[in-house]
Amino acid sequence: MTADPDVPLASEALLRPVRPGNAFEDTVERLLQTIRLGVLAPGESLPPERELAARLGVSRDTVREAIKSLSDAGYLVSRRGRYGGTFLAEELPQHTGATDGVTRADIDDALRLREILEVGAARMAAHRTLTAPEREVLWSRLTDVRGASPAAYRRLDSRLHLAIAEAAGSPSLVPLVAENRMRLNGLLDQIPLLARNIAHSDEQHEAIVMAILAGDGQGAADAMRAHVAGSAALLHGFLD
């Protein structure tokens, strides 16, 4: 990372400690920012895992998982041997389709609206006395998305979030959440499904639903806010 005298300062600014709640997603975002802003040139190597972990304030396992995910997505290439390491791919994946003409402001708008709608929905659902059928629907939707195939994941994920909106008890809220989910899914469909992110989302989904079922409004809101932030990190990393 010495080809450009400005690179060390840019790298220092981008590869700063991440938030603990979404360590994997934020690590992916920081690495993608480094790649997409040209801090690394094609074929240039990333810093060693140990250094990245120290600079980002995460475990080496988290760094390793982020690197593997970006390698699977075509951004990085790992090489073994004396001159091995992790290198930026010579040609980066190109995003096309639903993101054409979409600006950072558009992405931010969709994400902020999602936080307003879905954090509030989770809080209100927890504050209500849910009927047995409502509780059963939430648990069923959670179970469905936990066992979803990659092809069905977005659809079943949306069904769970819509069920949470329904559980909030405001019929007017559901179409607003549905419209926002359509916008977000159009963006999410343009980025790869990362196995580690899906596993983390499953954990967050369970925390949200369990808090709702326990009547813990603050816990449900906090868990949903963390979940929304994880998706935001990936969208900004891949699409900005």
Side-chain angles (χ1 to χ4, degrees), residues 6-20:
D6 291 331
V7 163
L9 288 176
S11 176
E12 188 70 25
L14 291 172
L15 298 176
R16 61 192 187 279
V18 305
R19 298 166 296 183

Side-chain angles (χ1 to χ4, degrees), residues 106-128:
D106 295 326
I107 297 172
D108 280 341
D109 180 59
L111 290 169
R112 287 168 182 159
L113 181 58
R114 182 190 185 189
E115 181 172 351
I116 291 167
L117 294 174
E118 298 207 38
V119 171
R123 186 192 304 274
M124 291 303 298
H127 285 164
R128 288 184 65 228

Side-chain angles (χ1 to χ4, degrees), residues 119-131 134-135 138 164 167-169 208-222:
V119 171
R123 186 192 304 274
M124 291 303 298
H127 285 164
R128 288 184 65 228
T129 301
L130 300 180
T131 65
E134 285 174 328
R135 297 170 72 87
L138 278 178
I164 293 170
I208 294 165
V209 172
M210 292 300 290
I212 291 172
L213 296 178
D216 180 3
Q218 189 60 51
D222 289 345

Side-chain angles (χ1 to χ4, degrees), residues 21-35:
N22 289 298
F24 169 78
E25 291 82 1
D26 283 356
T27 297
V28 170
E29 180 187 23
R30 296 286 163 77
L31 293 178
L32 281 169
Q33 287 174 339
T34 302
I35 292 168

